[in-house]
Amino acid sequence: MRSLYVTILMAFLANLYAFEFKSAPGVKERTNPTISQTTIQSYASSLSDATKAVVNISTQKQVANNLPNHPMFEDPFFQHFFGDIYGQIPRDRMERSLGSGVVISNDGYIITNHHVIDGADKILVSFSGSSKEYTAKLIGSDSRSDIAVIKVDKPNTPAIAIADSDKLMVGDVVFAIGNPFGVGESVTQGIISALNKSGIGINDYENFIQTDASINPGNSGGALVDSRGALIGINTAIISRTGGNHGIGFAIPSEMVKKIAKELIEKGSIRRGYLGVGIQDVSDDLKDTYNQKDGALLISIEQDSPAAKAGLMVWDLIIEVNGKKISSAQDLKNTIGMFAPKEKVNIKYIRDKQEKVAQITLSELSDGKQSIQDSKSNGQQTDSGIDGLSLSELNQNLRQKFRIRSDVQGVVVTGVNKNSLAQKIGFEVGDVIAQVENISITKPSHFNAALTKFKNKNKRILIYSRNGTKTIIFK
């Protein structure tokens, strides 16, 4: 009887602490895609129109030698006297490269990558199934998004149908069509591996579709299509250590492509809206400050910029633009970049855990930067209010020593003691402290005063470092 009780008790304890896996239903049947011996599964009919709309692009660029253009080299006596040696003098050469493009209209407009045609003296296009080449005219090109539009004088060109890339899902079957390694038109199959990929470092504006469909050199500018053959993206880059395909390819989404191509065709260039802010993602230690929300955190405001005029401040967190949620710094950059200058946008942001809205009229993005005069100081080193941290006012010598840009203002970290609180917090020699909470820092005394003012609070410290802008939390 006692052994029976022990057995029951052990069974009870075993059930009490047993770990259960979720089991899939048992397989009862296996089926083929088709049971007909005369039928096979194929995407040929779906891809027929799409393959006709993808073209091969060949570019030619005249590359000059590095020798001075001296009349002596053209003198017949010089040529005769030096004989074979003269023939070995580097001459101008023709550099050729290959890529792909996608026809988007029946009157010959073609989309490709900016890097495919960049600097080309001549652009040649050949269509599927034909070796005849047409000389293409450059309509417009945008290096920031890596999109270009060219045009050939050929009637009734086969145009591709374009799908809405905003409706894509991870796992969708896709096909990459292009001219890999110059072997001619090829089609590869895969799936969408990821969406909204950014931070790759390829373009200024990144919102890539990632796919494992084989994309190789020469595929650039070609089509990424869905299982119907509709265009969902323009193939632009791969991540590879060897130059070949490793199953990580990127395509520019069709919605971005359409907007940029339309403006290039209608206006010849892209004019982008400009907000005038520096931004970063919300780090984990800042989540509590912003109600656990994601967005684009403002870490600098350009003087007299649209953001400054609207009253935005450093450490405001932008969470929406015109009702569209902003999930990251790159998301804000892409969104603002799609607006035209002088457009008005409604921006929702969080400040001190309160949501606010500002209407802002964007200015125009340009490549020029306004410099700010260097701060005049003697650069004398001063101890800060943080153990192991030494600071100095910025001067020309310190700017040169730590390679600090002229438009960066603040106090420079000139000393960080080993194993000190300053080192544990994350300060490094050469860092520039620009702001503590809402207080701008231009002297070490400003930094000490800010620490005192926010003595019993977590303090956000804005830092310009060698690796970019960062925020340090000092508790």
Side-chain angles (χ1 to χ4, degrees):
M1 180 65 76
R2 182 178 177 183
S3 61
L4 179 61
Y5 288 148
V6 171
T7 301
I8 294 172
L9 178 61
M10 291 179 66
F12 173 77
L13 292 174
N15 288 332
L16 182 64
Y17 295 105
F19 179 84
E20 293 292 334
F21 289 96
K22 182 179 180 180
S23 299
V27 175
K28 295 182 179 180
E29 184 182 8
R30 284 182 170 83
T31 61
N32 292 322
T34 175
I35 60 174
S36 170
Q37 293 299 308
T38 59
T39 304
I40 62 171
Q41 192 175 27
S42 175
Y43 291 94
S45 59
S46 299
L47 299 177
S48 176
D49 290 342
T51 53
K52 292 174 184 176
V54 177
V55 300
N56 296 334
I57 296 177
S58 172
T59 63
Q60 298 178 3
K61 182 191 301 184
Q62 191 79 16
V63 180
N65 65 44
N66 295 323
L67 292 177
N69 187 21
H70 198 282
M72 177 182 68
F73 292 127
E74 303 301 328
D75 189 283
F77 175 77
F78 178 88
Q79 298 177 21
H80 175 75
F81 183 80
F82 284 97
D84 292 339
I85 297 177
Y86 174 80
Q88 298 174 21
I89 296 175
R91 316 296 290 176
D92 290 359
R93 70 183 190 279
M94 186 67 70
E95 189 176 85
R96 300 174 184 269
S97 62
L98 297 172
S100 305
V102 183
V103 182
I104 57 169
S105 71
N106 297 125
D107 55 350
Y109 283 102
I110 298 168
I111 292 176
T112 185
N113 285 137
H114 164 81
H115 74 261
V116 169
I117 53 81
D118 185 29
D121 296 317
K122 192 173 185 179
I123 305 170
L124 298 174
V125 172
S126 61
F127 288 78
S128 176
S130 173
S131 59
K132 182 178 180 179
E133 290 186 320
Y134 296 82
T135 300
K137 175 185 177 183
L138 178 62
I139 300 302
S141 190
D142 178 44
S143 62
R144 292 178 182 271
S145 64
D146 200 19
I147 299 262
V149 176
I150 60 177
K151 189 177 187 299
V152 294
D153 186 12
K154 182 181 185 298
N156 301 317
T157 48
I160 200 165
I162 303 179
D164 184 351
S165 58
D166 291 341
K167 301 294 191 294
L168 299 176
M169 297 182 69
V170 172
D172 287 354
V173 173
V174 295
F175 298 86
I177 310 174
N179 179 28
F181 296 107
V183 301
E185 187 176 85
S186 300
V187 179
T188 57
Q189 181 188 15
I191 63 169
I192 294 177
S193 306
L195 294 167
N196 306 315
K197 297 292 285 187
S198 62
I200 311 300
I202 301 170
N203 303 338
D204 286 349
Y205 294 91
E206 296 185 338
N207 184 28
F208 292 122
I209 302 166
Q210 182 182 328
T211 179
D212 64 345
S214 292
I215 296 174
N216 288 292
N219 272 116
S220 290
L224 187 70
V225 302
D226 60 22
S227 59
R228 302 168 298 170
L231 183 73
I232 61 171
I234 296 294
N235 301 322
T236 189
I238 59 173
I239 290 181
S240 172
R241 293 181 178 178
T242 64
N245 177 262
H246 287 182
I248 306 177
F250 299 100
I252 304 168
S254 58
E255 288 303 296
M256 180 183 288
V257 170
K258 282 196 301 182
K259 184 173 180 63
I260 292 171
K262 180 178 174 63
E263 193 161 347
L264 288 175
I265 292 170
E266 293 177 353
K267 301 177 182 178
S269 63
I270 301 294
R271 296 177 65 221
R272 288 188 168 88
Y274 184 62
L275 190 57
V277 297
I279 50 180
Q280 71 174 44
D281 292 335
V282 183
S283 57
D284 290 339
D285 55 355
L286 286 170
K287 290 278 188 179
D288 287 342
T289 306
Y290 298 101
N291 302 328
Q292 300 298 317
K293 290 194 175 183
D294 291 316
L297 185 62
L298 306 190
I299 54 176
S300 65
I301 309 287
E302 185 178 321
Q303 188 176 3
D304 297 326
S305 66
K309 292 175 181 177
L312 293 182
M313 299 173 64
V314 168
W315 288 314
D316 286 346
L317 179 71
I318 295 179
I319 57 174
E320 285 185 16
V321 176
N322 280 4
K324 176 186 179 296
K325 288 187 177 180
I326 301 299
S327 60
S328 65
Q330 185 67 45
D331 195 8
L332 178 67
K333 184 176 182 179
N334 291 341
T335 301
I336 295 298
M338 291 298 103
F339 288 105
K342 297 184 179 180
E343 278 197 68
K344 292 183 179 181
V345 294
N346 291 315
I347 290 183
K348 182 183 287 187
Y349 61 96
I350 295 176
R351 178 187 298 168
D352 299 328
K353 296 193 174 182
Q354 299 294 316
E355 291 189 2
K356 300 176 181 290
V357 177
Q359 187 179 73
I360 299 178
T361 301
L362 301 174
S363 61
E364 183 172 357
L365 176 66
S366 65
D367 294 329
K369 293 183 180 179
Q370 291 188 359
S371 61
I372 300 174
Q373 294 296 322
D374 290 338
S375 174
K376 296 180 180 179
S377 66
N378 57 18
Q380 185 177 359
Q381 184 166 295
T382 306
D383 289 335
S384 71
I386 296 177
D387 175 55
L389 181 67
S390 298
L391 306 173
S392 291
E393 290 187 42
L394 270 173
N395 60 23
Q396 192 58 39
N397 290 334
L398 290 174
R399 287 188 184 278
Q400 292 176 355
K401 179 179 179 180
F402 296 114
R403 297 181 180 179
I404 300 169
R405 302 195 318 265
S406 61
D407 60 334
V408 171
Q409 298 298 306
V411 294
V412 64
V413 175
T414 52
V416 177
N417 294 342
K418 188 176 181 180
N419 298 324
S420 65
L421 177 60
Q423 186 183 54
K424 293 177 182 177
I425 292 172
F427 287 103
E428 297 179 12
V429 172
D431 284 350
V432 176
I433 300 173
Q435 190 165 327
V436 176
E437 287 300 320
N438 60 350
I439 298 176
S440 297
I441 309 297
T442 57
K443 295 182 179 180
S445 60
H446 296 167
F447 182 71
N448 294 337
L451 295 185
T452 301
K453 179 176 179 180
F454 301 105
K455 184 175 182 180
N456 298 319
K457 298 180 180 179
N458 290 346
K459 294 164 281 292
R460 293 166 296 187
I461 303 174
L462 185 65
I463 303 289
Y464 296 112
S465 71
R466 296 182 184 89
N467 299 319
T469 308
K470 62 184 180 182
T471 300
I472 287 178
I473 300 294
F474 179 43
K475 300 178 180 180

